[in-house]
Amino acid sequence: MADLIRNMLDAALKTNRSLYFAVMTGCLRVSKESIFTGLNNPKIYSLLDARCDDQFGFTDAEVQKMLDYYGLSEYYDITGEWYDGYRMANVHVYNPWDVINWCDQLLAGADKRPKSYWKNSSGNEEVKKFIRQMGNGVTRSQIERLISGESVQVKIEEQLTYNTMYDSIENMWSLLYATGYLTLSEIPAGDLARLKIPNNEVRDIFRDFILELFKEKVTEDGTLVTDFCSALKDGDTTEDERIFTKSMRKTVSIRDTAVQREFKENFYHGLILGIILFKNDWGISSNRESGDGYSDIQIEIEDESIGIIIEVKYAEGGNLDAACKEALNQIHKNNYTAELKEDDMHTILKYGIACFKKQCRVVLEREFFDAG
């Protein structure tokens, strides 16, 4: 294979009299494989090279022009929140694959909510491997800062190659930078750089794999699932607070920063769901993605005619009691218990759960309903 690639590159890019100019692209270099021995005349432009910094994606002016052309200017702000944020030397650029798909989705007129197009186009193995290094060279606080929109200072190796990309934690940081999962927050001085998550789309990718790892750990502790669910069914808020707080201390939390509240609530919603989904004999539905008018989590325990509604809130500023009250008010206002009553759930437990960093508060209201 090395012979084939070497001869092809030489014939196509060096000794080809019909070729004036060629561009090769890629995330990482391929070296020490002897495939470039004949091709000794390329110029390499990295993400930090100002000569090509506006060529790695769509610039802001280009995105504005594209949205204007299709009559989608009202979506400019949300387009930036989800698909902008990449710093290439002196220019900020958008992910072009995402912007094209986003405009196509909007023009179709079906769904106006942004999606993670990039996540669905790759296996995201780099992020999986990185998160699994938590506690083994990658600190939990580093991941927490990234998730919360802050930056971390690490050493970047621009000469990273495929055969060394997983050799060290430093190389893994460089890999995430080179492949677009992290970007510069400022121009680096020397080998040290401050990296951050560029936008909501990539932040969602990190969140999903953190929740996936959390679920794996939950499966290893059957007692946690049993005790939490038993307390939930029995209305023991003190025990649920204790167990959930203990669980949060073992995983990444969300700092009280500028990250949107919806993201924070979705994160803690996912943690709770990650525990109770292993209760196979419960009818559990999560309607967070279904739009307004549905509770975060709804549970039906048919054998005992018990219905449970859970509304999760992030306590801005740490006011857990106010957030719990807001959650219960939302349950009442939107009549979330209606479906449970129609399904003959005679005991209905309404939970407001508020989270802040690694703290939580659980409040409960009971309602008894006799279908007869």
Side-chain angles (χ1 to χ4, degrees), residues 21 28 67 181 251 259 272-273 277 288 290 326 330 345 365 370-371:
F21 185 78
L28 301 175
L67 294 175
Y181 292 101
T251 191
V259 173
I272 296 173
L273 201 60
L277 276 179
R288 164 63 70 179
S290 298
E326 180 186 352
Q330 185 171 325
M345 298 294 114
E365 286 186 4
D370 187 352

Side-chain angles (χ1 to χ4, degrees), residues 67 72-84 94 102 106 112-115 199-201 260 262:
L67 294 175
L72 302 173
S73 298
E74 62 184 290
Y75 296 98
Y76 170 74
D77 289 338
I78 196 170
T79 301
E81 292 170 1
W82 274 81
Y83 310 123
D84 188 14
Y94 293 67
W102 170 232
L106 291 174
K112 305 297 184 182
R113 295 174 298 178
K115 296 181 180 179
N199 51 45
N200 287 350
E201 179 190 37
Q260 292 178 337
E262 181 183 5

Side-chain angles (χ1 to χ4, degrees), residues 104-132:
D104 183 58
Q105 175 185 319
L106 291 174
L107 290 171
D111 192 347
K112 305 297 184 182
R113 295 174 298 178
K115 296 181 180 179
S116 298
Y117 307 103
W118 185 22
K119 177 174 67 175
N120 297 327
S121 67
S122 75
N124 303 297
E125 290 299 323
E126 297 88 345
V127 176
K128 290 182 181 179
K129 289 180 180 290
F130 176 74
I131 291 175
R132 291 185 183 281

Side-chain angles (χ1 to χ4, degrees), residues 47-63:
L47 300 178
L48 292 174
D49 199 314
R51 289 174 292 180
C52 293
D53 55 6
D54 61 345
Q55 303 301 312
F56 288 104
F58 290 164
T59 64
D60 187 68
E62 290 169 337
V63 169

Side-chain angles (χ1 to χ4, degrees), residues 131 143-144 147-148 203-204 206-212 214-215 244 247-248 251-255 259-274 288-289 312 314 355 357-358:
I131 291 175
I143 297 180
E144 288 175 350
I147 290 290
S148 298
R203 189 172 289 109
D204 266 1
F206 273 84
R207 180 199 65 181
D208 289 348
F209 287 129
I210 290 169
L211 294 177
E212 182 179 304
F214 177 77
K215 291 176 184 178
F244 191 47
S247 300
M248 286 193 295
T251 191
V252 171
S253 69
I254 301 295
R255 297 166 181 247
V259 173
Q260 292 178 337
R261 179 173 178 174
E262 181 183 5
F263 175 87
K264 300 172 185 177
E265 292 179 353
N266 283 345
F267 181 81
Y268 290 105
H269 168 266
L271 292 180
I272 296 173
L273 201 60
R288 164 63 70 179
E289 303 298 330
V312 183
Y314 184 78
C355 299
K357 298 181 181 179
K358 296 182 186 292

